[in-house]
Amino acid sequence: MAPTADPSRLEAATRRLSAALSGLETAIARRIENERGQERLQLQAQAAEEDRARLAEELDRSTDRIALLEAANRDVVRRLDQSMDAIRGVLAAYES
C-alpha cells in the first residue's frame, strides 16, 4: 500500500517552492538590471573616452595655432619697432 501525502506537508512544500521561485525571479530581475546598468556605464565610459580624445586633438590644434600666432606677433612687433626707428630717423633728419 502506497503512503498518502499529508496535505499540510504538501501545502507547506508548495509554499516553500513558490517562495523559492519568487526569490529566483527577483534575483534574475536584479541581475538583468545590473547588467543593463553596467552596459550603460560602459557606453558612458566609451563616450567620455571619445570626448577626451576629441578634446585632446582640439587642444593640440589650439596649441599649434597659439604657437603660430605668437610667432606672427613677434614678427609684427619686430616690424613695428623697425618702422618706429625709421620714422624717428626721418623725424630726426627733418628736425636737424
Side-chain angles (χ1 to χ4, degrees):
M1 180 167 206
T4 57
D6 182 7
S8 63
R9 289 182 59 197
L10 185 57
E11 288 174 9
T14 302
R15 282 193 301 272
R16 286 194 309 272
L17 178 59
S18 180
L21 288 174
S22 178
L24 180 59
E25 287 174 353
T26 301
I28 289 171
R30 242 186 265 131
R31 174 73 184 250
I32 290 170
E33 186 58 35
N34 285 341
E35 287 177 3
R36 286 182 185 151
Q38 288 177 353
E39 288 173 6
R40 282 191 298 269
L41 288 175
Q42 287 174 346
L43 289 174
Q44 288 174 349
Q46 181 180 358
E49 178 59 28
E50 289 169 0
D51 284 346
R52 187 211 59 79
R54 180 183 51 78
L55 290 171
E57 188 176 308
E58 287 178 16
L59 179 60
D60 288 343
R61 283 195 309 267
S62 294
T63 301
D64 292 344
R65 180 152 170 74
I66 288 170
L68 290 172
L69 290 172
E70 286 175 342
N73 184 51
R74 283 190 300 274
D75 186 49
V76 168
V77 168
R78 182 184 54 77
R79 289 180 184 196
L80 283 173
D81 284 344
Q82 289 174 345
S83 296
M84 288 172 26
D85 287 344
I87 291 170
R88 284 188 193 107
V90 168
L91 289 174
Y94 179 73
E95 291 175 351
S96 319

